[in-house]
Amino acid sequence: MEPESLDQDARPIAAGERLGRLTKRAEFQRVSRGRRKTVDAFSLQSARREAADQGPTGARFGLTVTKKVGNAVVRNRIRRRLREALLAARPLEAREDHDYVLMARREALSREFTALVSDLKAAFRAVARAGEDSRRRPSGGSAAKDRDRRT
């Protein structure tokens, strides 16, 4: 059973479709300024692709595993595990005009694979919902911004 899209541009990625990749450092840095959802094994970051970056169509994904997580063998195992979890979690609710980065944690290595896949699906749903909520908010300033904090 395929999940229903949350809006018009959220298209589930089909099982046979190849995932787009983020390759440049600037792309990773731009995504880091976007929305994020954190779970035990990873943090998912999401950002809308700018009009100038509209090369290949479809959602693009990047994986980051820092040296703090472990040595090269451990980092590569985590990276392979997350890549397979992304493939197993399809269809994902990833918007075509967005880029996504998975920042891995050490728990990604010891977490059960089915739990990792369900965490991925939940994180993508949460990021998509957060995008929906921000679109529905009025463009005017919020009450918290308008209050004088010095009193």
Side-chain angles (χ1 to χ4, degrees):
M1 182 172 135
E2 286 189 22
E4 290 185 28
S5 294
L6 296 176
D7 63 326
Q8 308 312 341
D9 63 348
R11 182 181 65 85
I13 295 175
E17 191 175 337
R18 186 179 166 120
L19 297 175
R21 287 179 39 194
L22 295 177
T23 55
K24 296 186 174 98
R25 183 172 190 262
E27 295 169 341
F28 282 86
Q29 288 177 326
R30 183 182 49 77
V31 174
S32 72
R33 293 188 296 270
R35 291 187 175 79
R36 71 181 58 199
K37 171 66 178 164
T38 303
V39 294
D40 291 339
F42 60 86
S43 177
L44 175 67
Q45 300 173 338
S46 166
R48 185 179 197 132
R49 206 173 312 138
E50 297 165 6
D53 293 340
Q54 295 293 344
T57 59
R60 298 185 304 176
F61 300 88
L63 296 173
T64 301
V65 188
T66 63
K67 286 186 176 182
K68 192 187 298 187
V69 172
N71 63 16
V73 174
V74 171
R75 293 194 310 267
N76 286 331
R77 284 182 67 198
I78 291 173
R79 198 174 291 119
R80 284 192 303 265
R81 220 162 176 253
L82 284 175
R83 197 177 305 123
E84 283 302 314
L86 266 173
L87 295 173
R90 294 192 288 187
L92 293 169
E93 291 208 28
R95 291 190 174 94
E96 289 188 10
D97 61 344
H98 278 62
D99 293 334
Y100 299 91
V101 173
L102 281 172
M103 293 190 61
R105 295 190 173 152
R106 179 91 181 173
E107 290 80 19
L109 192 58
S110 60
R111 191 145 175 91
E112 191 171 325
F113 190 75
T114 55
L116 197 60
V117 170
S118 65
D119 285 350
L120 268 171
K121 289 181 179 182
F124 271 93
R125 273 194 300 272
V127 166
R129 255 188 247 117
E132 275 295 302
D133 292 343
S134 68
R135 286 186 202 160
R136 291 181 186 156
R137 287 187 196 140
S139 59
S142 67
K145 286 183 180 177
D146 294 338
R147 268 188 274 161
D148 187 6
R149 297 181 190 265
R150 289 177 275 168
T151 58

